[in-house]
Amino acid sequence: MLDTVGRLNKLDSDAYLFDNAEFLMQPYEQSLVEEQLIEQQKLLVIAQLNKLPRRQKEILYLVYMKGLSYQQAAEVMDITMKSVYNTVNVALTTLRAYVRTSFEQGGALWVNALGFLLS
């Protein structure tokens, strides 16, 4: 009991060794935190992508996931290339607004969020 009291008094003293100590995140902890944040970001962006109208999702899928050119996407969907440009623009504008709003509300969660959405 006296030993515990002595330790508590030492903790309260000005000479306590750890008064100015700082906890630092270890490299493996940092990478785990970053992986979790990126995974959360992906889930949030995917959720927002799923809220887009069907046509916007289809065109984004063809252009960004399948790597088709705008001309190829237009041919696949049997629409004009101008329609593809306009639809991609509207979809990305919607996603940018969502990312910016989420960033303002969530701060650091969006630091690494999909760079092409913010460009």
Side-chain angles (χ1 to χ4, degrees):
M1 176 74 167
L2 288 176
D3 190 40
T4 302
V5 171
R7 278 191 246 150
L8 288 175
N9 287 339
K10 185 177 179 181
L11 287 174
D12 293 333
S13 75
D14 289 336
Y16 185 60
L17 178 63
F18 293 105
D19 280 348
N20 296 319
E22 294 180 17
F23 287 97
L24 301 174
M25 189 176 294
Q26 298 299 316
Y28 68 90
E29 294 170 326
Q30 176 106 15
S31 67
L32 288 175
V33 169
E34 288 172 1
E35 286 175 25
Q36 288 174 342
L37 285 175
I38 290 169
E39 189 60 32
Q40 287 176 333
Q41 292 166 359
K42 285 179 186 177
L43 292 173
L44 290 170
V45 170
I46 288 169
Q48 189 61 27
L49 281 167
N50 287 327
K51 292 179 184 179
L52 292 174
R54 181 176 179 210
R55 182 174 169 148
Q56 291 177 16
K57 285 191 282 192
E58 288 174 336
I59 291 176
L60 288 179
Y61 176 78
L62 292 172
V63 172
Y64 290 103
M65 300 302 291
K66 289 295 190 181
L68 299 182
S69 69
Y70 283 27
Q71 180 62 46
Q72 291 168 325
E75 291 170 9
V76 167
M77 295 195 68
D78 197 27
I79 59 176
T80 66
M81 198 162 73
K82 177 122 174 109
S83 291
V84 173
Y85 278 112
N86 290 339
T87 304
V88 166
N89 185 43
V90 169
L92 292 180
T93 299
T94 301
L95 292 172
R96 279 187 203 104
Y98 173 73
V99 168
R100 285 191 179 113
T101 301
S102 297
F103 181 79
E104 290 166 3
Q105 293 172 354
L109 179 63
W110 286 99
V111 168
N112 296 315
L114 300 174
F116 76 90
L117 292 177
L118 297 176
S119 59

